[in-house]
Amino acid sequence: MSRQEMSGRNTSGQNAARTTLCAAIEGFTFHGGSGPALRGVEIEITPGSLTAVLGGSGSGKSTLGRLLAAWLAGGRDGVLRGTLQLAAGGRQGEGCPLVFSGTGDDPRIDSAAWADHVGYVPQDAAAMLSAVRGTVEEELAFGLENRGTARSEMTRIVAETARRTGLTALLERDPATLSGGELRRLAIGCAIVTGPGVLILDEPLASLDPAGERTVMELVRDVRGRGAAVVVLSQHADGLTRQATHWLVLEDGAATAAGPPDRLLAGGSLASSGVVVGGPPVLPAAGAGSRPVAAAAPAAASGPAPAPGLPPALQLEGVSFGFDANDPGSPLLLKNINLDVRPGEIVAVTGPNGAGKSTLLRLFNGLLRPLRGNVRVAGKGIAGVPTGVVAERLGLLFQHPHDQLFERTVQREVIFGLERLFGQHASAKAAAALAEVGLDASGGVHPHELSGSGQRLLALATVLAREPAVLALDEPTVALDAHGLDRLTAAITAAAGRGAAVVLVTHDLAFARAHAHRTVELKDGALVGC
Amino acid sequence: MSQPSLTLPTPGQQEGRNRRLLELLGAAAIAATFLFLVLTQPADIAGGLGSVSALVALGGFLLGAALLIVGVLPTLPTSTVVLMPVALVLNIVLGQLMGTSGLPFYFDAIGTVLIAVLAGPAAGAATGALSSIVWSFINPTVLPFAAGAALIGFLAGTAARYGLFRRFYLAPVAGFATGILAGVVSAPIAAFVFGGTSGAGTGAIVSAFRAMGDTLLAAITKQALISDPMDKAIVFAIAAMLVYALPRRTTFQFPFVRRCNVLAGKKPVQKDS
Amino acid sequence: MVPRLNPLTLLAAAAAVLVMTTAASSWAVSLTVASGAVALAAALGRARRVLLAGGAILAPFWLSLLVMHGLFYPEGRTVLAGWGPARVTAEGIGFAFDMGLRTSAFVLVLMLFSFSVRVPDLVAALATLRLPPQFGYVLASTLMLAPIIAVRLHTVRQAQESRGLVVEKGLGSRLKAVRLQMVPLVLGLVHDAGTRAQALDARGFRRAGPRTSYREVHDSAAQRFFRWAILLLAGAAVVLRIVASASGGGPA
């Protein structure tokens, strides 16, 4: 391929080449995998279309997306049987299909050449970045540098891509300092910088606030407007996936339904898939709560609120906090917070990104210490008590299960340290906690080989097994599919029923309203609506 | 070509042969340097400062390490290259911590051994050499030890290839043997380039041997034979612990692990194509 | 002034100075080079950092050398004092000073280089040398990854304390805690590396053929000439030293 041709196709400012991508995957098994990750999946992606691949956590969506984008390669990453056909230029039939039979003679895809036509953006946008470029503009240029694009051309494309992704004001920033939404747009920018005709987005709206969701949805519209096809992989039938022209539903690696969204929604083919189905389509301009929730049941589902007479299990008295403790004049992040949570009560704390919700949670168990005021857990003050000791009475669960899990099997993970608390009852307690989150059949699996939803539930089980007086959860709904949400709801309701106080921090207003006895909002450093 | 190819051609033989040549030249440079230093050593130390020895040690070992890096790096799959910075940070952080602790250990090869076990001897050697070069941005005194670090990576990968990581108790044994060789190769650097060792623990041991009348190279070599095998035995054990903590699907990403059946109880389900 | 210089010029200068210092093998040259490095650092306003970082490496090294050779130097003939097996000899002290000064020059020059060079510029400049792109990647990624890993270790520690895993004090429990923290840290990093590798491949990291650089690194004909000249000079110094040594007339 000559240099002229390469830069000739680099015209991401203009319309994308009309590209059709067809795949028929008979089976794909990872090296070392216990069974096929995908079997019997067919998909056809036509120019300008929006396809949604829906499925619960671990259903094979990401594997399919990565195979389509040649991020995963047959032979190198696993055994692939099936065909892939990419026709750039719009005429179908052009470009002969690549046939994989799972043997050594299979074609080896040049993933860089393939990526010129098919771009993929992973759910973890940070993993898309090279991590060796100090500014947003250099990160965007990385793919162009590698193909030898001339400097002047490169500057033009970077500026144009930055304009399309709304990153123009951030070009000089260090990518490590970007917010979640900005990072997602940068990752998409890195994928479209070479002007691919097909763009595959893995959970593009996950953990974005409404403003972030809006910008990503506008970007999808812009990409489609230029003739490119977009594929969205998601476990939510939400505002974005409902705009799709075609749905493909995956369950356990196999396609269980395909067709137009309306028909599939009406036909109930999503019921067992684990896809989270929300209310009516949400308009991009909608405010908070655009993330639909499973089974929006009334608060009664959580059981009756506990009698007010009991002493609080968690008590915050006049707590103030700021990160700059040495400067008394600096603004406080949290001001004079009072909060009582009684045994058996479920309290949800909501608020916009950056309001200090996670900081508030870290004050509960002493990871952060208040500048003023007192925190009492189960009646005892925690000032001067190490976090590891407070943890016996208060279980705190963070967003990323990866940080907490370290054992070789699910079973060992839950039982770790339980002997010290429960002696010979440890294994019974562990088994009960695993059953509660629905992982009792997965005891021998490596924690990292569980689905994203499964990992979060396992982390929840490790905390539940210790039977703390207070359960504090940071964004528990993120990354859970419909089955996971059901398990989570059941587990926290059961814990509250046993007399534990539950505090959950969430941006998901609908979930909070549905499952908490009380919802308070953290706003401008104060709790509103206690 | 109007339609650029979407598939890769089968790898060319010539290219591979050139890379192989660079690797062999690198290994030869390191071996020749070591032999030169050991053979000329008595005359040099009697004459006082080993300036020529220092130049040869620096030049020969660094050239060997550089050839290894240039020869090996382009042949490695990206998944291994991307893991190298992680390994290097582990090496550097633990090495720096150990260096200030006063104990006669180094702990600066855990990442190197990890890569060697997952990706093989060549990748291990390149990681070791790169580790010294990158670390020298923070602590320049480790730069001349690049060849020794490469040897550790190479030997760890070789141990993995022949199944010494399939049994947990064999890993420290392999580490012990690696430590003996690595210590002997690194001692001339400490003797001729630096005239001694840094760190209170190692310094005390060298002084003790010197008090008994050993030459500087002999004293430092004996010190290395006390510290290195123990250190590498621990390092290999830690690396084995980490590798066994990894999920199967992750370790099986590495062709070396699949092809040479490096880890116990992790036999491939299907024949690797 | 330094940002205007090409990183390769700085690298060539540092390397050549070190080679010449080693070849000269004289405490006077070593002392001159070491103080020159400090003076240059001071002129660039980096003296504090260079001295602190260099001092942390050199102080234990000097201490070790002085104890080792100051007290035990069996080759020494001029005994200044002695306590049993320990003898302070003039030769031992001299050897310690020779070696200490040479290493000081080595460390200070390289510290000055690493505090003066901007890593992204160095990587961009190295790319023009036709080194494998993987080399620049590993170099830059390691130096940029360190703070990210530090943050990650902190969150792992917090997450585990919240699970009640870090309670007791003492060495055994400390070691256990290290294992508990190492495993999730390494597992997480290895997992991320897998995704990053796929992303890099898709973005053309392994493409053959010429590459370009978005970052512009300043260079000039004069600098190119300087680089060649100083490296030739260093080579000449080595040759001179070998010739002198082979003819047996080299200074001690």
Coordinates of all heavy atoms in Angstrom, one line a residue, chain C residues 194-251:
Chain C
G194 N -3.6 -7.0 28.9 CA -4.1 -7.8 27.8 C -5.0 -7.0 26.9 O -4.8 -7.0 25.7
T195 N -5.9 -6.2 27.5 CA -6.7 -5.3 26.7 C -5.9 -4.3 25.9 O -6.1 -4.0 24.7 CB -7.7 -4.6 27.5 OG1 -8.4 -5.5 28.3 CG2 -8.7 -3.8 26.7
R196 N -4.9 -3.7 26.6 CA -4.0 -2.7 26.0 C -3.3 -3.2 24.8 O -3.1 -2.5 23.8 CB -3.1 -2.1 27.1 CG -2.2 -1.0 26.5 CD -1.7 -0.1 27.6 NE -2.8 0.7 28.1 CZ -3.0 0.9 29.4 NH1 -2.2 0.4 30.3 NH2 -4.1 1.6 29.8
A197 N -2.8 -4.5 24.9 CA -2.1 -5.1 23.8 C -3.0 -5.2 22.6 O -2.6 -4.8 21.5 CB -1.6 -6.5 24.2
Q198 N -4.2 -5.6 22.8 CA -5.1 -5.7 21.6 C -5.4 -4.3 21.0 O -5.4 -4.1 19.8 CB -6.5 -6.3 22.1 CG -6.4 -7.7 22.5 CD -7.6 -8.2 23.2 OE1 -8.6 -7.5 23.4 NE2 -7.6 -9.5 23.6
A199 N -5.5 -3.3 21.9 CA -5.8 -1.9 21.4 C -4.6 -1.4 20.6 O -4.7 -0.8 19.6 CB -6.1 -1.0 22.6
L200 N -3.4 -1.7 21.1 CA -2.2 -1.2 20.5 C -2.0 -1.8 19.1 O -1.6 -1.2 18.1 CB -0.9 -1.5 21.3 CG -0.7 -0.6 22.6 CD1 0.5 -1.1 23.3 CD2 -0.6 0.8 22.2
D201 N -2.3 -3.1 19.0 CA -2.2 -3.8 17.7 C -3.2 -3.2 16.7 O -2.8 -2.9 15.6 CB -2.5 -5.3 17.9 CG -1.3 -6.1 18.3 OD1 -0.2 -5.6 18.2 OD2 -1.5 -7.2 18.8
A202 N -4.4 -2.9 17.2 CA -5.4 -2.3 16.3 C -5.0 -0.9 15.9 O -5.3 -0.5 14.8 CB -6.7 -2.3 17.0
R203 N -4.2 -0.3 16.7 CA -3.8 1.1 16.4 C -2.5 1.1 15.6 O -1.9 2.2 15.5 CB -3.8 2.0 17.7 CG -5.1 2.1 18.3 CD -5.1 2.8 19.6 NE -4.9 4.2 19.4 CZ -4.6 5.0 20.4 NH1 -4.5 4.6 21.6 NH2 -4.3 6.3 20.2
G204 N -2.0 0.0 15.2 CA -0.9 -0.1 14.3 C 0.5 -0.1 14.9 O 1.5 0.2 14.3
F205 N 0.5 -0.5 16.2 CA 1.8 -0.5 16.9 C 2.8 -1.5 16.3 O 4.0 -1.2 16.3 CB 1.5 -1.0 18.4 CG 2.7 -1.0 19.3 CD1 3.4 0.2 19.5 CD2 3.1 -2.1 19.9 CE1 4.5 0.2 20.3 CE2 4.2 -2.1 20.8 CZ 4.9 -1.0 21.0
R206 N 2.3 -2.5 15.6 CA 3.3 -3.5 15.0 C 3.4 -3.3 13.5 O 4.0 -4.1 12.8 CB 2.8 -4.9 15.3 CG 3.0 -5.4 16.7 CD 2.6 -6.8 16.9 NE 3.5 -7.7 16.3 CZ 4.6 -8.2 16.9 NH1 5.0 -7.7 18.0 NH2 5.4 -9.0 16.3
R207 N 2.8 -2.2 13.0 CA 2.9 -2.0 11.6 C 4.4 -1.9 11.1 O 5.2 -1.3 11.8 CB 2.3 -0.6 11.2 CG 0.9 -0.7 10.6 CD 0.5 0.7 10.3 NE -1.0 0.8 10.4 CZ -1.8 0.5 9.3 NH1 -1.2 0.2 8.2 NH2 -3.1 0.7 9.4
A208 N 4.7 -2.5 10.0 CA 6.0 -2.3 9.5 C 6.0 -1.0 8.7 O 5.0 -0.4 8.5 CB 6.3 -3.5 8.5
G209 N 7.2 -0.6 8.3 CA 7.2 0.6 7.5 C 7.5 1.9 8.3 O 7.6 1.8 9.5
P210 N 7.6 3.0 7.6 CA 8.0 4.2 8.2 C 7.0 4.8 9.2 O 5.8 4.6 9.0 CB 8.3 5.2 7.1 CG 7.4 4.6 6.0 CD 7.3 3.2 6.1
R211 N 7.4 5.4 10.2 CA 6.5 6.1 11.1 C 6.8 7.6 11.2 O 7.9 8.0 10.8 CB 6.8 5.5 12.6 CG 6.1 4.2 12.8 CD 6.8 3.5 13.9 NE 6.6 2.0 13.7 CZ 5.7 1.4 14.4 NH1 5.0 1.9 15.4 NH2 5.5 0.1 14.2
T212 N 5.9 8.3 11.6 CA 6.1 9.8 11.8 C 5.9 10.1 13.2 O 5.4 9.3 14.0 CB 5.2 10.6 10.9 OG1 3.8 10.1 11.0 CG2 5.6 10.5 9.4
S213 N 6.2 11.3 13.6 CA 6.1 11.8 15.0 C 5.2 13.1 15.0 O 5.5 14.0 14.3 CB 7.4 12.0 15.6 OG 7.2 12.5 16.9
Y214 N 4.2 13.0 15.9 CA 3.4 14.2 16.0 C 4.1 15.3 16.8 O 4.1 16.5 16.5 CB 2.1 13.8 16.8 CG 1.1 14.9 16.9 CD1 0.2 15.2 15.8 CD2 0.9 15.7 18.0 CE1 -0.7 16.2 15.9 CE2 0.0 16.7 18.1 CZ -0.9 16.9 17.1 OH -1.8 17.9 17.2
R215 N 4.9 14.8 17.8 CA 5.7 15.8 18.6 C 6.9 16.2 17.8 O 7.6 15.4 17.2 CB 6.1 15.0 19.9 CG 7.0 15.8 20.8 CD 7.2 15.0 22.0 NE 6.1 15.1 22.9 CZ 6.1 16.0 24.0 NH1 7.1 16.8 24.2 NH2 5.0 16.0 24.8
E216 N 7.2 17.5 17.8 CA 8.3 18.0 17.1 C 9.5 18.1 18.0 O 9.4 18.8 19.1 CB 8.0 19.3 16.5 CG 7.5 19.2 15.0 CD 7.2 20.6 14.5 OE1 6.7 21.4 15.2 OE2 7.4 20.8 13.3
V217 N 10.6 17.4 17.7 CA 11.8 17.5 18.6 C 12.8 18.4 17.8 O 13.1 18.1 16.7 CB 12.3 16.1 18.9 CG1 13.5 16.3 19.9 CG2 11.2 15.3 19.5
H218 N 13.3 19.4 18.6 CA 14.2 20.3 17.9 C 15.6 19.6 17.6 O 16.1 18.9 18.4 CB 14.4 21.5 18.9 CG 15.2 22.6 18.2 ND1 16.5 22.7 18.4 CD2 14.8 23.6 17.4 CE1 16.9 23.8 17.7 NE2 15.9 24.3 17.1
D219 N 16.1 19.9 16.5 CA 17.4 19.3 16.1 C 18.0 20.3 15.1 O 17.3 21.1 14.5 CB 17.2 17.9 15.5 CG 18.5 17.1 15.7 OD1 19.5 17.7 16.2 OD2 18.6 16.0 15.2
S220 N 19.3 20.2 14.9 CA 20.0 21.1 14.0 C 21.3 20.4 13.5 O 21.8 19.4 14.1 CB 20.4 22.4 14.6 OG 21.3 22.1 15.7
A221 N 21.8 20.9 12.4 CA 23.0 20.3 11.8 C 24.2 20.5 12.8 O 25.0 19.5 12.9 CB 23.4 21.1 10.5
A222 N 24.2 21.6 13.5 CA 25.3 21.8 14.5 C 25.2 20.7 15.6 O 26.2 20.1 16.0 CB 25.1 23.1 15.1
Q223 N 24.0 20.4 16.0 CA 23.9 19.4 17.1 C 24.3 18.0 16.5 O 24.9 17.2 17.3 CB 22.4 19.3 17.6 CG 22.1 20.5 18.4 CD 20.8 20.3 19.2 OE1 20.6 19.2 19.8 NE2 19.9 21.2 19.1
R224 N 23.9 17.7 15.3 CA 24.3 16.4 14.7 C 25.8 16.3 14.7 O 26.4 15.3 15.0 CB 23.7 16.3 13.3 CG 22.3 15.7 13.4 CD 21.8 15.3 12.0 NE 21.5 16.5 11.2 CZ 20.3 17.1 11.2 NH1 19.3 16.7 12.0 NH2 20.1 18.2 10.5
F225 N 26.4 17.4 14.3 CA 27.9 17.4 14.2 C 28.5 17.2 15.6 O 29.4 16.4 15.7 CB 28.4 18.7 13.6 CG 29.9 18.9 13.6 CD1 30.7 18.2 12.7 CD2 30.5 19.7 14.6 CE1 32.0 18.3 12.7 CE2 31.9 19.8 14.6 CZ 32.6 19.1 13.7
F226 N 28.0 17.9 16.6 CA 28.5 17.8 17.9 C 28.4 16.4 18.4 O 29.3 15.8 19.0 CB 27.7 18.7 18.8 CG 28.0 18.5 20.3 CD1 29.1 19.1 20.9 CD2 27.1 17.8 21.1 CE1 29.4 19.0 22.2 CE2 27.4 17.6 22.5 CZ 28.6 18.2 23.0
R227 N 27.2 15.7 18.1 CA 27.1 14.3 18.6 C 28.1 13.4 18.0 O 28.8 12.7 18.8 CB 25.7 13.8 18.2 CG 24.6 14.5 18.9 CD 23.3 13.6 18.9 NE 22.7 13.5 17.6 CZ 21.7 14.3 17.2 NH1 21.3 15.3 18.0 NH2 21.1 14.2 16.0
W228 N 28.4 13.5 16.7 CA 29.4 12.7 16.1 C 30.8 13.0 16.7 O 31.5 12.1 17.0 CB 29.4 12.9 14.6 CG 28.3 12.1 13.9 CD1 27.3 12.6 13.3 CD2 28.2 10.7 13.8 NE1 26.5 11.6 12.8 CE2 27.0 10.4 13.1 CE3 29.0 9.6 14.3 CZ2 26.6 9.1 12.8 CZ3 28.6 8.3 14.0 CH2 27.4 8.1 13.3
A229 N 31.0 14.3 16.8 CA 32.4 14.7 17.3 C 32.6 14.1 18.7 O 33.7 13.6 18.9 CB 32.5 16.2 17.2
I230 N 31.7 14.3 19.6 CA 32.0 14.0 21.0 C 32.1 12.4 21.1 O 32.8 11.9 21.9 CB 30.9 14.6 21.9 CG1 31.5 14.5 23.3 CG2 29.6 13.9 21.9 CD1 30.9 15.5 24.3
L231 N 31.3 11.7 20.3 CA 31.4 10.2 20.4 C 32.7 9.8 19.8 O 33.3 8.8 20.3 CB 30.2 9.6 19.7 CG 28.8 9.8 20.4 CD1 27.7 9.2 19.6 CD2 28.9 9.1 21.8
L232 N 33.2 10.4 18.8 CA 34.5 10.1 18.2 C 35.6 10.3 19.2 O 36.5 9.5 19.4 CB 34.8 10.9 16.9 CG 34.1 10.4 15.7 CD1 34.4 11.3 14.5 CD2 34.6 8.9 15.4
L233 N 35.5 11.5 19.9 CA 36.4 11.8 21.0 C 36.5 10.8 22.0 O 37.5 10.3 22.5 CB 36.0 13.2 21.6 CG 37.1 14.1 22.0 CD1 38.0 14.5 20.8 CD2 36.5 15.4 22.6
A234 N 35.3 10.3 22.4 CA 35.2 9.3 23.5 C 35.9 8.0 23.0 O 36.6 7.3 23.7 CB 33.7 9.0 23.8
G235 N 35.6 7.7 21.7 CA 36.2 6.5 21.1 C 37.8 6.6 21.2 O 38.5 5.7 21.5
A236 N 38.2 7.8 20.8 CA 39.7 8.0 20.8 C 40.3 7.8 22.2 O 41.4 7.3 22.4 CB 40.0 9.4 20.3
A237 N 39.5 8.3 23.2 CA 40.0 8.2 24.6 C 40.2 6.7 25.0 O 41.2 6.3 25.6 CB 39.0 8.9 25.5
V238 N 39.2 5.9 24.5 CA 39.3 4.5 24.8 C 40.5 3.9 24.2 O 41.2 3.1 24.8 CB 38.0 3.8 24.4 CG1 38.1 2.3 24.5 CG2 36.8 4.3 25.2
V239 N 40.7 4.2 22.9 CA 41.8 3.6 22.2 C 43.1 4.0 22.8 O 44.0 3.2 23.1 CB 41.8 4.1 20.7 CG1 43.0 3.7 20.0 CG2 40.5 3.5 20.0
L240 N 43.2 5.3 23.2 CA 44.5 5.8 23.8 C 44.7 5.0 25.1 O 45.9 4.5 25.4 CB 44.3 7.2 24.2 CG 44.8 8.2 23.1 CD1 44.6 9.6 23.6 CD2 46.2 8.0 22.8
R241 N 43.7 4.8 25.9 CA 43.9 4.1 27.2 C 44.3 2.6 26.9 O 45.2 2.1 27.6 CB 42.5 4.1 27.9 CG 42.3 3.1 29.0 CD 43.4 3.0 30.0 NE 43.5 4.3 30.8 CZ 44.5 4.5 31.7 NH1 45.4 3.6 31.9 NH2 44.5 5.6 32.3
I242 N 43.7 2.0 25.9 CA 44.1 0.6 25.7 C 45.5 0.5 25.2 O 46.3 -0.4 25.6 CB 43.1 -0.1 24.7 CG1 41.7 -0.2 25.3 CG2 43.6 -1.4 24.2 CD1 40.6 -0.7 24.5
V243 N 45.9 1.4 24.3 CA 47.3 1.4 23.8 C 48.2 1.6 25.0 O 49.2 0.9 25.1 CB 47.4 2.5 22.7 CG1 48.9 2.7 22.4 CG2 46.7 2.1 21.5
A244 N 47.9 2.6 25.8 CA 48.8 2.9 26.9 C 48.9 1.7 27.9 O 50.0 1.4 28.3 CB 48.3 4.1 27.7
S245 N 47.8 1.0 28.1 CA 47.8 -0.1 29.0 C 48.5 -1.3 28.4 O 49.3 -2.0 29.1 CB 46.3 -0.5 29.3 OG 46.3 -1.7 29.9
A246 N 48.4 -1.5 27.1 CA 49.0 -2.6 26.4 C 50.5 -2.4 26.4 O 51.3 -3.4 26.6 CB 48.5 -2.8 25.0
S247 N 51.0 -1.2 26.3 CA 52.4 -1.0 26.2 C 53.0 -1.0 27.6 O 54.2 -0.8 27.8 CB 52.7 0.4 25.5 OG 52.2 1.4 26.3
G248 N 52.1 -1.1 28.6 CA 52.6 -1.3 30.0 C 52.9 0.0 30.7 O 53.4 0.0 31.8
G249 N 52.8 1.1 30.0 CA 53.2 2.4 30.6 C 52.0 3.2 31.2 O 52.2 4.3 31.5
G250 N 50.9 2.5 31.3 CA 49.7 3.2 31.9 C 49.9 3.6 33.3 O 50.6 2.9 34.1
P251 N 49.3 4.7 33.7 CA 49.4 5.2 35.1 C 48.6 4.2 36.0 O 47.7 3.6 35.6 CB 48.8 6.6 35.1 CG 47.9 6.6 33.9 CD 48.5 5.7 32.9

